[in-house]
Amino acid sequence: MTRRHTVTTGCVLAITALVLAAAPAVARPLSAGTAAAPAALKPPSGMLEALQRDLHLTREQAQARLLNETRLTPVEAQLRRRLGIEFAGSWFTGDVAQTLMVATTDRDNLSQIAAAGARGEVVSRSLAQLDGVIDEVDAALSTHQGGQVRYIDVKTNKVVVLSDTPSTTEDVIQASGVDPVAVQVVSSTERPQPLSDLVGGEAYYAGPATRCSVGFSVVRGLQNGFVSAGHCGTAGRTTTGADRREQGIFQASTFPDSDFAWISVNGNWSPKPAVSNGTGGTVSVAGSRPVIEGASVCRSGPVTGWHCGLILQRNASITYAQGNVSELVRTNVCAEAGDSGGSFISVDQAQGVTSGGSGDCTSGGVSYFQPINEILTTYGLSLVTIAGNPPPPSTGTCTGYPHTAEGTLTEGRSVYQPNGRFYRSTADGVHFACLDANDGSDLDLYLQKWIGRSWATVATSAGPGPDEKITYTGTAGYYRYRVTASSRSTPYVLGYRRP
């Protein structure tokens, strides 16, 4: 499985030091070109206050942080596209996120990074290579009791493993053949587990006793519903609202491996493009654009209400008692049992649904969320927003998938993805892939599986146009995609998800 560092010159702000509370140690799933700065930024009600409280900022500092994040986000997206396979990650640095750092494996890219208004850093491993390393680490630690948390740390250009038995974990990783230079094992007692206990952040009940939280309102065709955590219930399980009125039914649920579900609701429930802000008001949902590491993010849940913090790392893997969950986002936002499934939002952009965490909202903690676009893509859902209901992220441009690969193909040539190699699926399930290229070209897509001595093609999408999709149900094993250009040279994007 594949997953999914320079100078900013405008906006220098004097600020006081940002002090973050240290997170406690035990984690559990939560159930029971430089863009012009906007002329004005009006954050949703309650967001500035929560940022001041949780990040120990003044109101002016909180406003400056959000302004800079808004200003620099399109810069990061542009550089990510331009650098392609030489892109090695990005993050904000500074108490109010006034500097955008962009890592690259090629020193020649530093000038264009600086010209765009960011600060560049040269590293040895690309983000795609780190994706491959964390897949290998996940596989090596699948039966090991240590190393419950793994994530890609773009700041150090390594995969970090948190383990309560670090020496043993290091031995396991070394014996597996994973490049030890690319992995850092850190001593930690953090042990995530799910926390159980239609406006995002409001409570609902799965069965008589499991309390979880609504994530975001969605639609699929004419059916209304919402997304939440997969560990809250299995397909077919009925739900009731916070007032115990009949509400809906789990249409699909994935846990472990991933941690998400979608629940259809009856006619008595109207989906709203809103998230509860914990003070009787709501925050509007305008889209689902992912934010950069180091950006501000807020969480809403029925137990602890509205809390804010920062995006720490992406591509985090967690070992719960029920099994591994990968491709999560790690934050320093606190959460407690019963907040599972709740909304993570940055200003007005939906980020994901709460999976698990450690600590509490009294002493502080760490929490993890499942990215929203992966949920929408997997289930073919449309997010309910103030501008209407856009199609699922996988439509047309193949965005929203947890793994992507880009390149350019000459007519008659083929390439294997990811990165000329393969990925490992440790469980039976469905493989999804979407290929997008320029109009007028003709690309074909093949999914192949290793059968012991050779690769066998198990699924094919070879239509006459530039866009192809594959959905294949298969057993655990090693897989790869072959992309072939039947006519005309063209750039392409491949998005995919393994079971």
Side-chain angles (χ1 to χ4, degrees):
M1 172 189 71
T2 44
R3 309 279 181 196
R4 308 184 263 6
H5 310 290
T6 55
V7 181
T8 300
T9 57
C11 198
V12 177
L13 301 167
I15 56 171
T16 58
L18 173 64
V19 181
L20 295 176
V26 180
R28 49 198 180 280
L30 305 171
S31 304
T34 307
L41 179 69
K42 187 177 181 181
S45 175
M47 183 167 287
L48 283 177
E49 292 77 8
L51 285 171
Q52 293 175 69
R53 178 196 65 205
D54 295 334
L55 296 184
H56 306 286
L57 300 174
T58 66
R59 186 175 184 86
E60 291 73 23
Q61 290 168 351
Q63 288 174 323
R65 170 176 277 278
L66 293 179
L67 181 64
N68 282 315
E69 290 173 3
T70 301
R71 178 176 63 87
L72 291 168
T73 294
V75 175
E76 190 272 351
Q78 181 185 66
L79 287 170
R80 181 186 290 260
R81 288 193 300 269
R82 288 179 177 178
L83 300 184
I85 62 173
E86 295 168 352
F87 177 78
S90 59
W91 65 93
F92 286 126
T93 185
D95 293 344
V96 291
Q98 76 272 35
T99 302
L100 171 64
M101 302 294 296
V102 177
T104 177
T105 57
D106 190 342
R107 184 171 297 277
D108 291 342
N109 291 324
L110 293 180
S111 58
Q112 68 167 313
I113 293 173
R119 178 174 294 170
E121 182 171 312
V122 180
V123 297
S124 57
R125 288 170 287 274
S126 69
L127 188 58
Q129 289 172 317
L130 289 174
D131 285 341
V133 173
I134 197 170
D135 290 339
E136 294 174 349
V137 171
D138 284 350
L141 298 179
S142 60
T143 59
H144 175 53
Q145 295 303 306
Q148 286 77 17
V149 178
R150 288 87 57 194
Y151 55 80
I152 291 175
D153 187 355
V154 293
K155 295 180 182 179
T156 63
N157 197 231
K158 292 176 180 286
V159 170
V160 175
V161 181
L162 304 185
S163 175
D164 54 2
T165 56
S167 359
T168 304
T169 300
E170 287 175 345
D171 290 343
V172 172
I173 292 173
Q174 186 172 7
S176 72
V178 178
D179 179 7
V181 178
V183 182
Q184 179 182 7
V185 179
V186 177
S187 179
S188 172
T189 56
E190 184 178 331
R191 299 182 69 91
Q193 61 186 37
L195 310 174
S196 283
D197 177 43
L198 265 176
V199 170
E202 292 189 345
Y204 73 93
Y205 292 88
T210 301
R211 179 176 64 176
C212 280
S213 176
V214 174
F216 295 93
S217 296
V218 296
V219 296
R220 186 161 117 177
L222 300 177
Q223 179 63 64
N224 296 329
F226 63 89
V227 293
S228 188
H231 70 263
C232 290
T234 56
R237 192 172 191 180
T238 58
T239 68
T240 56
D243 56 3
R244 292 294 190 172
R245 288 188 300 138
E246 291 185 1
Q247 181 191 65
I249 184 170
F250 278 80
Q251 293 295 318
S253 179
T254 303
F255 182 75
D257 187 42
S258 295
D259 190 7
F260 51 73
W262 92 274
I263 296 92
S264 63
V265 297
N266 59 43
N268 295 324
W269 298 81
S270 299
K272 301 295 183 183
V275 171
S276 172
N277 68 0
T279 60
T282 60
V283 172
S284 297
V285 178
S288 59
R289 182 185 66 248
V291 295
I292 302 166
E293 292 181 30
S296 311
V297 69
C298 297
R299 180 197 55 75
S300 183
V303 176
T304 57
W306 181 255
H307 286 272
C308 297
L310 306 178
I311 301 289
L312 297 181
Q313 293 92 16
R314 294 186 176 275
N315 295 317
S317 299
I318 301 298
T319 300
Y320 293 135
Q322 299 89 338
N324 289 347
V325 176
S326 60
E327 296 157 8
L328 298 173
V329 178
R330 188 172 185 252
T331 79
N332 61 4
V333 184
C334 69
E336 297 181 11
D339 288 328
S340 273
S343 327
F344 269 86
I345 190 167
S346 183
V347 186
D348 58 2
Q349 297 295 310
Q351 297 300 308
V353 300
T354 308
S355 173
S358 63
D360 54 44
C361 288
T362 300
S363 57
V366 172
S367 61
Y368 300 81
F369 68 80
Q370 184 84 57
I372 182 67
N373 284 336
E374 181 180 355
I375 310 173
L376 302 178
T377 297
T378 299
Y379 296 142
L381 304 170
S382 295
L383 182 68
V384 176
T385 73
I386 55 176
N389 308 330
S394 61
T395 300
T397 59
C398 299
T399 59
Y401 286 83
H403 317 299
T404 58
E406 302 180 27
T408 299
L409 268 181
T410 304
E411 181 177 346
R413 301 298 296 272
S414 296
V415 66
Y416 292 101
Q417 296 288 2
N419 304 313
R421 300 182 65 202
F422 52 87
Y423 64 90
R424 180 186 180 190
S425 175
T426 59
D428 299 349
V430 183
H431 300 251
F432 298 91
C434 173
L435 181 66
D436 180 53
N438 287 346
D439 291 342
S441 61
D442 182 8
L443 264 62
D444 298 324
L445 182 62
Y446 306 88
L447 176 62
Q448 299 181 332
K449 182 180 182 182
W450 181 251
I451 56 173
R453 293 185 177 180
S454 62
W455 292 94
T457 298
V458 294
T460 300
S461 181
D467 304 327
E468 305 289 352
K469 290 186 177 181
I470 280 178
T471 301
Y472 172 74
T473 302
T475 57
Y478 294 93
Y479 291 83
R480 69 182 184 183
Y481 287 99
R482 181 186 179 191
V483 184
T484 300
S486 298
S487 69
R488 297 184 59 175
S489 300
T490 178
Y492 68 90
V493 176
L494 173 66
Y496 63 98
R497 183 182 189 282
R498 59 95 177 168

